[in-house]
């Protein structure tokens, strides 16, 4: 089920060469260590997506997440996360590249029916281009947004949450990059509860239920307490009176 990444190996090496070697030793949030493997194996995870609107649930396809380890002579190990999901009247393909094991954002690409975005990140700025795709000709804008320090990519919020040292009463604030909101966005993250929850394909699991204050679309993430896998993610978009939920259908390893 795995698909080839849209970013060739050479491109990743070039992107990584712009980053700083000290990233490998530095946490994005000082004093907050993530529990993410230093050397994760390749993995493909499929989530079933559903949308709830006016009390009615409907199927909305799937979100496929492909994780791969890539290496750079400058930065060592990097995690590439490619996601494919329906949106904008077609398919959106987002590819995030992050340092290991800190998940410090290095680069991001997004291919959407109406636009493409390309960014690289350092501790100071997000640099890139946003291209609007139009019948009469594409329009390209150069982007430079201040970050004010290390950052996570908002396209991997669920992976970052699952890697946190979750426990009863845990809470923190994390910086994520959102281009549409000017760059750096601080989001509160808190463990709401630990509970036994039933899942359609995975049965009953012991999970941490975590809230994330995503502006305009607060999220809830269900994280397996034993494997640290993301089992379900829900975003509630009040302005559009809808929510969408991704629930894992790929079996858990082990």
């Amino acid at each position: 089920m795995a698909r080839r990444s849209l970013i060739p190996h050479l491109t990743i090496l070039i992107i990584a060469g712009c980053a700083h070697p000290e990233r490998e030793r530095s946490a994005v949030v000082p004093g907050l260590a993530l529990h993410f493997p230093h050397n994760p194996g390749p993995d493909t995870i499929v989530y079933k997506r559903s949308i709830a609107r006016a009390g009615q649930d409907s199927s909305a396809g799937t979100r496929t997440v492909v994780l791969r380890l890539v290496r750079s002579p400058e930065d060592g190990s990097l995690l590439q996360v490619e996601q494919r999901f329906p949106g904008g009247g077609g398919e959106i393909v987002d590819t995030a590249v992050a340092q290991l094991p800190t998940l410090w954002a290095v680069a991001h690409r997004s291919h959407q029916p109406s636009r493409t975005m390309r960014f690289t990140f350092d501790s100071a700025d997000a640099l890139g281009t946003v291209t609007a795709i139009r019948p009469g000709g594409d329009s390209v804008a150069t982007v430079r947004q201040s970050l004010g320090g290390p950052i996570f990519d908002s396209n991997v919020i669920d992976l970052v949450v699952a890697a946190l040292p979750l426990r009863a009463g845990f809470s923190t604030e994390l910086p994520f990059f959102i281009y549409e909101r000017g760059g750096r966005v601080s989001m509160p993250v808190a463990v709401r509860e630990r509970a036994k929850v039933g899942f359609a394909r995975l049965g009953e699991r012991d999970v941490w239920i975590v809230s994330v204050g995503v502006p305009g679309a607060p999220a809830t993430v269900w994280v397996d307490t034993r494997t640290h896998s993301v089992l379900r993610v829900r975003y509630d978009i009040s302005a559009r009176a809808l929510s969408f939920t991704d629930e894992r259908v790929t079996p858990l390893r082990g």
Side-chain angles (χ1 to χ4, degrees):
M1 298 173 68
R3 305 173 188 251
R4 289 188 178 273
S5 165
L6 296 182
I7 303 181
H9 287 282
L10 179 59
T11 305
I12 288 179
L13 294 180
I14 293 172
I15 290 173
C18 299
H20 299 288
E22 63 266 22
R23 289 184 193 228
E24 193 169 5
R25 301 187 299 272
S26 302
V28 172
V29 177
L32 182 64
L34 301 187
H35 300 296
F36 200 89
H38 286 68
N39 189 24
D43 199 5
T44 298
I45 305 166
V46 178
Y47 295 87
K48 181 181 179 181
R49 174 163 292 187
S50 60
I51 294 178
R53 184 185 286 107
Q56 299 294 319
D57 290 346
S58 60
S59 177
T62 60
R63 174 168 68 101
T64 301
V65 182
V66 180
L67 294 90
R68 294 176 51 210
L69 180 68
V70 294
R71 297 192 181 276
S72 156
E74 297 289 338
D75 275 344
S77 297
L78 297 172
L79 177 70
Q80 176 183 292
V81 183
E82 180 191 285
Q83 304 192 57
R84 294 175 176 263
F85 51 92
E91 182 181 59
I92 294 175
V93 182
D94 285 342
T95 305
V97 181
Q99 267 284 351
L100 286 173
T102 64
L103 297 183
W104 182 337
V106 173
H108 176 78
R109 283 192 177 185
S110 180
H111 292 253
Q112 306 173 21
S114 61
R115 68 177 179 178
T116 63
M117 299 189 293
R118 300 184 180 189
F119 297 104
T120 59
F121 309 100
D122 58 28
S123 60
D125 299 294
L127 303 173
T129 58
V130 176
T131 302
I133 302 172
R134 297 168 179 164
D138 296 348
S139 172
V140 182
T142 300
V143 176
R144 185 187 191 103
Q145 293 180 327
S146 177
L147 298 180
I151 205 161
F152 298 113
D153 191 337
S154 61
N155 286 277
V156 292
I157 285 176
D158 53 352
L159 291 181
V160 173
V161 168
L164 292 169
L166 301 175
R167 61 184 182 275
F170 175 86
S171 66
T172 189
E173 290 218 357
L174 300 179
F176 287 96
F177 175 78
I178 302 180
Y179 158 70
E180 293 83 357
R181 291 186 173 266
R184 187 182 186 90
V185 177
S186 183
M187 300 185 195
V189 178
V191 169
R192 206 163 68 199
E193 63 177 312
R194 181 174 181 171
K196 298 283 189 181
V197 176
F199 297 89
R201 297 288 185 91
L202 303 177
E204 187 178 82
R205 305 292 303 186
D206 185 39
V207 297
W208 295 112
I209 303 177
V210 186
S211 63
V212 185
V214 181
T220 306
V221 185
W222 286 255
V223 180
D224 189 83
T225 60
R226 185 175 65 84
T227 65
H228 303 284
S229 300
V230 177
L231 304 186
R232 180 187 292 157
V233 184
R234 187 183 73 231
Y235 288 88
D236 297 300
I237 308 172
S238 57
R240 296 170 58 189
L242 65 83
S243 66
F244 66 87
T245 302
D246 292 345
E247 183 164 323
R248 179 172 174 140
V249 297
T250 301
L252 294 170
R253 292 183 173 182

